[in-house]
Amino acid sequence: MRIFSRVSGTGGYLPGNPVRNDDLVAHGIETSDAWIVTRTGIRARHLSAGETSSQMARKAALKALEMANIAAAELDLILVATSTPDYIFPSTACLLQGALGNKGATAFDVQAVCSGFVYALAVADKFIQSGSHKKALVVGAETFSRILDWSDRSTCVLFGDGAGAVVLEAAETSGVLATALHADGSQAGILSVPGQIAGGVVTGDPFLRMEGQAVFKSAVRVLAAVAEECCHAAGMETGDIDWLIPHQANIRIIEATGRKMGLPMEKVVVTLDRHGNTSAASVPLALDEAVRDGRIRRGQKFLLEGVGGGFTWGAALIEF
Ligand code: UT7
């Protein structure tokens, strides 16, 4: 009999107060609310004032554990998707494990940039399906504000910080129905932080660099295709899903994907306007919001989608 990974809890955390587009203008960034809203759909984002990815991950994780009604000590798998880990090592997952007081669970980070949460969720699902693990915590946590060049208006206005978490538990019915993950390393250069640490100093460029239009075009091309692939793997059509929860990078990408999938915007969860692009945290933050406000109900089917640096993309179809 197949073992399913059932979503038993979700949680989210955003640091501090919203930083509105006009606040960025007031801080001397050569941009405007009108440009950011028209080109991206972003109106505000949250920025960490020193909180690290593992600290935000802990706050989101505690909420997810509370909803799932399980103790951290019961977890046997902890995965953190992040491109902004606290340290080079140990992993953010091990720091989170320590902060939660769990001992003995398998714990490691997954690095697939903005697709990271979908990658990590798919990995956790494989562990659970195999029968080796039964209770997994999957977190997306990012402090992208640390890697932004605040003099580069083409990137710094786009991103925000935060964390989102999901608890997956082995179940006999319902849960993750299908996942699909892809990457194309030949496009590594269109979205990267190319710096390195060598001999105690940062060499190269330590900031996020993006060829926005190339990323935009690739995202639109792959997102509808991977949605279809994932739905077909579960014997469904994209029009059959109740909710689309896409990576929150640009409202124009989200709308184009929804159109190609035959889904009206009423079925698409959007947090981008208030969160900005929180990379690996964006999908679990949006999922948590829609679960907590009652939009996503037990028995409904939703599709998670990620796309980002690598170039990476993926989807997960879940019956709640
Ligand atoms: O999470 C990973 C996935 N990331 C994404 O999916 C991001 C994908 N890319 C995008 O969302 C869009 O390409 C951007 C929002 C990044 C840029 O939008 P665009 O419509 O592609 O604009 P553009 O880069 O072609 O720039 C248009 C103009 C330029 O001025 P000129 O050359 O036309 O005079 C830019 O200098 O807008 C200018 N510009 C700005 N103006 C005001 C760029 N950034 C800004 C800004 N404020 N913040």
Side-chain angles (χ1 to χ4, degrees):
M1 193 175 57
R2 179 171 165 185
I3 304 171
F4 288 92
S5 308
R6 179 176 183 268
V7 175
S8 58
T10 65
Y13 174 74
L14 293 160
N17 297 318
V19 177
R20 296 191 173 76
N21 294 340
D22 281 337
D23 299 328
L24 299 181
V25 176
H27 274 85
I29 295 169
E30 205 185 313
T31 187
S32 68
D33 179 57
W35 190 94
I36 301 172
V37 172
T38 316
R39 300 283 177 136
T40 72
I42 298 166
R43 293 177 186 278
R45 74 286 292 142
H46 290 250
L47 301 174
S48 162
E51 269 183 300
T52 64
S53 293
S54 76
Q55 289 166 341
M56 294 192 293
R58 176 179 165 273
K59 290 182 176 166
L62 288 174
K63 291 182 187 162
L65 288 166
E66 185 184 28
M67 188 189 289
N69 197 23
I70 68 167
E74 294 175 59
L75 296 168
D76 52 16
L77 178 63
I78 298 174
L79 299 185
V80 176
T82 187
S83 300
T84 44
D86 295 20
Y87 305 125
I88 290 174
F89 69 77
S91 70
T92 307
C94 286
L95 298 178
L96 173 62
Q97 179 183 35
L100 290 173
N102 173 288
K103 281 195 178 131
T106 308
F108 60 96
D109 286 358
V110 173
Q111 219 278 36
V113 200
C114 302
S115 309
F117 181 79
V118 174
Y119 262 68
L121 183 120
V123 170
D125 176 49
K126 308 281 183 211
F127 272 77
I128 288 176
Q129 274 194 56
S130 78
S132 66
H133 291 67
K134 292 192 167 41
K135 293 185 183 188
L137 173 67
V138 186
V139 184
E142 300 281 18
T143 24
F144 259 48
S145 57
R146 287 172 38 211
I147 54 168
L148 294 177
D149 175 354
W150 291 98
S151 68
D152 176 7
R153 68 176 183 172
S154 71
T155 54
C156 71
V157 303
L158 305 174
F159 295 90
D161 301 329
V166 159
V167 174
L168 294 177
E169 294 187 61
E172 289 177 5
T173 54
S174 93
V176 179
L177 302 177
T179 57
L181 304 177
H182 296 286
D184 175 4
S186 73
Q187 293 196 78
I190 64 174
L191 177 49
S192 66
V193 179
Q196 299 176 329
I197 294 178
V201 291
V202 177
T203 60
D205 185 349
F207 294 119
L208 181 150
R209 302 297 174 199
M210 179 167 71
E211 291 175 30
Q213 289 191 0
V215 173
F216 190 104
K217 283 182 196 149
S218 293
V220 171
R221 184 169 47 80
V222 299
L223 284 174
V226 78
E228 201 168 309
E229 176 191 350
C230 198
C231 289
H232 285 179
M236 287 172 51
E237 298 299 327
T238 53
D240 296 336
I241 62 172
D242 297 296
W243 297 101
L244 173 65
I245 305 172
H247 173 48
Q248 311 282 319
N250 188 313
I251 194 67
R252 293 183 288 142
I253 296 174
I254 294 174
E255 285 169 352
T257 306
R259 260 196 312 275
K260 282 192 177 181
M261 289 172 62
L263 286 181
M265 282 305 283
E266 297 76 61
K267 291 188 166 194
V268 183
V269 179
V270 176
T271 53
L272 173 79
D273 51 332
R274 289 156 291 126
H275 298 181
N277 179 348
T278 57
S279 190
S282 90
V283 169
L285 273 167
L287 172 63
D288 179 56
E289 183 173 289
V291 166
R292 283 180 190 267
D293 69 17
R295 269 178 288 174
I296 298 181
R297 297 189 304 276
R298 287 282 168 204
Q300 290 189 326
K301 295 183 183 68
F302 58 86
L303 187 81
L304 309 179
E305 281 205 305
V307 62
F311 198 71
T312 55
W313 65 101
L317 179 64
I318 300 175
E319 185 175 323
F320 189 48

